[in-house]
Amino acid sequence: MDSHARVVLDDADIGRAIRRIAHEIVEKARGTDDLVLLGIPTRGVALAERIAVALESIEGATVPVGSLDITLYRDDLRLRPARPLEETSIPAEGIDGRVVVLVDDVLYSGRTVRAALDALNDLGRPAAVRLAVLVDRGHRELPIRPDYVGKNLPTSVDEMVRVEVTEVDGVDRVAIWEGE
Amino acid sequence: MQHLLSAGDLSLEEAVLILDTAAELAAVTDRSVKKLPTLRGRTVVNLFFEDSTRTRISFELAAKRLSADVINFAAKGSSVSKGESLKDTALTLEAMGADAVVIRHGASGAPHRLATSGWIGAPVINAGDGTHEHPTQALLDAYTLRRHLRGGAGDLAGVRVAIVGDILHSRVARSNVLLLQTLGADVTLVAPPTLMPFGVESWPCRISYDIDEVLPDVDAVMMLRVQAERMQAAYFPSALEYSRRYGLDVARMAALPSDAIVLHPGPMNRGMEISADVADSPRSVMVEQVANGVSVRMAVLYLLLGGMKEESA
C-alpha cells in the first residue's frame, strides 16, 4: 500500500459497520420478508453476502443475494476503452414486488447508483429500492442519497478512497490517500 | 481490437474476453426487457453484398439489443447493382456517419480492404468474405463448444473437434481452425481430397480423408454444408456417394463418444451432409448455435463500439 495512505477502517470496524447496517435494514423493513440484496461488483457483492449473513444471525431467515453489473448502463462508456463485464445474477425469486437493497463499497458521484437504478428498471419492478454503502465520501453529482451508511468519510476530491475486502483483496481495510 | 477481420487476429486473451462478454450478454435474452442502452445513438450498417438471412438477422438483432440503430444495405436493389464501387459505397456510409460496418462480400479480402483503405474510420466486422473467413461464426461455435464441453468458462484446451465437409469453399472452416487453435483445441479436418484447400498441410490442424477413423476420438463434430453454389467443377462423383462417405447419419453418430455434440453452421442440407435423424437428435446443437450467435455478436459490437474510440495505429 502507498506510504501516504491512511487506514480509516480496519477489519473490526468493517465488521461492526456491516452488523449495524443489517440491524437498520431489519428495523426499517420490519423483518426480512421480501428483501433482496444486490451487490454491485466487485466489492459490493462481497459486502452484500456479509450483510446477508448478519441478517440471518439477527432474524434467522435467509435473504436472497445477487449481483448487478452496471457496466452496460454507465454514462461514461465512451470516455474509456470498452470494459470487461462483471457477473449479473438475479436470485430466482426475482425482484418484482420486493424490496431491493443495492450494496456498494463507496458512494461518490452517485453515477453508479443511477446506472444501477436504470438496470433494475429493465429487470423488473421492485416495491422499493434502498441503498447501502460501506463508505459515503460525499461529492455527489446527482440527487442520490444512501439509506444505510457504514461510515461517512468527508474527503476532498483530490483524495482517493479504497475499500479492500478479504474475498477480493485478502484483507479488510478502508484507506484514504492523496491522489496525484 | 479495432476491427474484427480474421479469427486469426485474436489473441487468446481477446478471444476469451469475447466469449466471457457473450456469456454475460446472453442473460439479456431471458429478461422481460430484452434491450440494453449501451450503444444508444450509435449506427451500425449491415453491408451485405451477398445473400444471407441468418447472419444478417443475427447482427441486426445483436445491434438492436444494444440499442444501436441499424441500417441494412443489401447489394441487390441498391446502387451497387447500378455499378457503384466498394469505395464509393464506403465513402457514402462514412458521410452518413456510420459507427460500425458489418460487411459480407463475395470477394475474399473485401473487409480488409474496407478497414485499411482509409475510406472509413468506423470499425469493420467481417461477416463472411468469399471463401476466406467468417470470424463471428467461429466465435459462436467456440462459445457453443465451451458451454457444452468446458462448463462455459476458460479456453478449449484439449477439446477435440472434427470439421467435416467442404473445407475448400468454407470460410467457416478456416476461421474455426484459426480460432480453435488459439483457444487450445485439437482440430481435425475431414474431407475428400478434392475438397481440401491448397496448402492445407500448413494449417495448424490434422487432416484426414476417412470420417470413420476420426469420429470415435472427438468431443464434437462440425458438419459443413456442401456449397453447391460455389462449386463450378465436379468435386465428387455424386451426391449419394458424398453422403455415403462423408455424411453424418445415425450409424456414424453412434460411433461418437457418448457425450460428443454435433454442430452445423446452417443452412443444412438434410440428407446430404447430415441425415434428418441426426439433425433432430438431442446431441445436435444447431438451434442453440443460432441463439449463441446473437450473444457473441453483441459481445463483438460492445467490445468494438462500447468504449472510447481507439486511436488508429
Side-chain angles (χ1 to χ4, degrees):
Chain A
M1 174 166 283
D2 200 283
S3 56
H4 303 291
R6 178 160 56 88
V7 174
V8 287
L9 294 180
D10 61 18
D11 53 349
D13 297 326
I14 291 174
R16 278 190 289 271
I18 284 172
R19 279 194 299 279
R20 182 172 51 72
I21 288 173
H23 276 286
E24 288 178 15
I25 290 173
V26 171
E27 189 182 357
K28 186 158 183 175
R30 295 183 179 165
T32 56
D33 293 350
D34 295 334
L35 274 182
V36 175
L37 299 176
L38 288 184
I40 297 174
T42 313
R43 291 168 185 81
V45 180
L47 294 171
E49 277 160 5
R50 290 195 209 177
I51 291 173
V53 171
L55 287 171
E56 185 155 7
S57 74
I58 297 164
E59 287 286 294
T62 309
V63 176
V65 182
S67 64
L68 180 66
D69 179 42
I70 54 94
T71 306
L72 296 163
Y73 292 86
R74 297 186 73 100
D75 61 4
D76 60 351
L77 282 172
R78 294 187 198 186
L79 303 181
R80 281 171 47 180
R83 304 156 210 239
L85 304 184
E86 305 283 346
E87 190 188 353
T88 293
S89 70
I90 303 302
E93 296 87 343
I95 61 167
D96 285 334
R98 291 178 163 260
V99 176
V100 173
V101 180
L102 291 172
V103 183
D104 203 0
D105 51 358
V106 180
L107 179 59
Y108 185 24
S109 66
R111 289 176 190 268
T112 302
V113 177
R114 200 268 328 151
L117 291 172
D118 280 356
L120 281 181
N121 204 27
D122 284 352
L123 289 167
R125 186 178 185 279
V129 182
R130 316 256 182 248
L131 176 61
V133 295
L134 184 61
V135 173
D136 180 357
R137 62 165 296 188
H139 305 289
R140 216 77 75 238
E141 292 164 5
L142 294 170
I144 280 167
R145 66 167 177 76
D147 299 281
Y148 315 104
V149 182
K151 176 148 182 88
N152 282 298
L153 202 59
T155 57
S156 90
V157 285
D158 299 328
E159 286 170 321
M160 316 262 274
V161 174
R162 171 138 188 225
V163 171
E164 291 170 291
V165 294
T166 315
E167 294 89 328
V168 182
D169 312 287
V171 64
D172 273 355
R173 182 166 60 193
V174 178
I176 183 168
W177 71 91
E178 293 287 325
E180 59 274 6
Chain B
M1 195 166 74
Q2 204 193 339
H3 306 284
L4 180 61
L5 303 176
S6 160
D9 292 343
L10 296 170
S11 66
L12 175 61
E13 292 71 29
E14 286 170 331
V16 171
L17 174 64
I18 293 173
L19 300 184
D20 288 347
T21 305
E24 285 302 323
L25 291 168
V28 174
T29 307
D30 304 327
R31 309 190 329 188
S32 52
V33 179
K34 295 182 181 54
K35 213 168 176 72
L36 293 159
T38 315
L39 297 183
R40 200 162 68 89
R42 304 287 185 106
T43 304
V44 175
V45 176
N46 279 335
L47 189 56
F48 277 63
F49 292 91
E50 223 183 47
D51 288 338
S52 158
T53 309
R54 65 183 66 213
T55 304
R56 184 182 59 73
I57 289 177
S58 183
F59 267 110
E60 181 169 353
L61 193 55
K64 286 181 169 171
R65 291 241 165 106
L66 291 168
S67 299
D69 295 314
V70 181
I71 295 172
N72 286 311
F73 187 103
K76 269 183 197 156
S78 75
S79 45
V80 172
S81 60
K82 297 170 191 159
E84 188 177 70
S85 68
L86 179 61
K87 178 177 180 177
D88 289 320
T89 306
L91 292 174
T92 305
L93 297 175
E94 175 76 352
M96 289 178 178
D99 293 299
V101 178
V102 176
I103 177 172
R104 164 163 293 196
H105 202 290
S108 302
H112 186 264
R113 181 81 177 125
L114 191 61
T116 56
S117 58
W119 298 331
I120 56 169
V124 174
I125 300 169
N126 182 358
D129 60 331
T131 58
H132 179 227
E133 284 226 40
H134 192 355
T136 56
Q137 176 70 41
L139 284 163
L140 81 86
D141 289 333
Y143 181 90
T144 308
L145 291 168
R146 191 176 84 148
R147 220 181 75 76
H148 281 270
L149 305 170
R150 281 291 176 270
D155 58 20
L156 291 172
V159 170
R160 299 161 303 171
V161 184
I163 303 177
V164 184
D166 182 2
I167 312 290
L168 177 63
H169 299 100
S170 178
R171 50 198 177 204
V172 176
R174 185 188 301 261
S175 287
N176 259 302
V177 167
L178 294 170
L179 182 68
L180 294 180
Q181 123 94 10
T182 301
L183 288 166
D186 182 7
V187 182
T188 306
L189 298 177
V190 184
T194 49
L195 287 175
M196 284 287 187
F198 181 75
V200 71
E201 315 77 43
S202 64
W203 291 20
C205 60
R206 271 194 283 259
I207 291 156
S208 171
Y209 304 119
D210 181 1
I211 186 172
D212 294 309
E213 161 199 282
V214 173
L215 289 183
D217 299 312
V218 295
D219 303 303
V221 56
M222 191 181 298
M223 302 307 297
L224 299 176
R225 186 170 63 89
V226 175
Q227 304 190 50
E229 77 275 20
R230 290 187 207 279
M231 294 191 182
Q232 277 93 41
Y235 290 96
F236 44 79
S238 74
L240 186 61
E241 175 164 339
Y242 179 86
S243 174
R244 281 215 183 124
R245 294 199 56 189
Y246 292 96
L248 189 64
D249 55 15
V250 173
R252 286 211 168 102
M253 189 166 70
L256 286 167
S258 58
D259 51 355
I261 56 170
V262 179
L263 297 90
H264 193 300
M268 283 186 278
N269 290 329
R270 284 174 184 245
M272 183 71 172
E273 70 271 2
I274 189 164
S275 78
D277 294 334
V278 174
D280 296 330
S281 87
R283 296 166 75 172
S284 294
V285 295
M286 285 64 135
V287 176
E288 188 197 318
Q289 282 175 277
V290 175
N292 294 343
V294 177
S295 305
V296 159
R297 289 175 179 121
M298 285 173 75
V300 169
L301 286 170
Y302 167 65
L303 292 169
L304 285 178
L305 278 182
M308 187 174 61
K309 198 169 172 181
E310 280 181 53
E311 296 301 314
S312 33

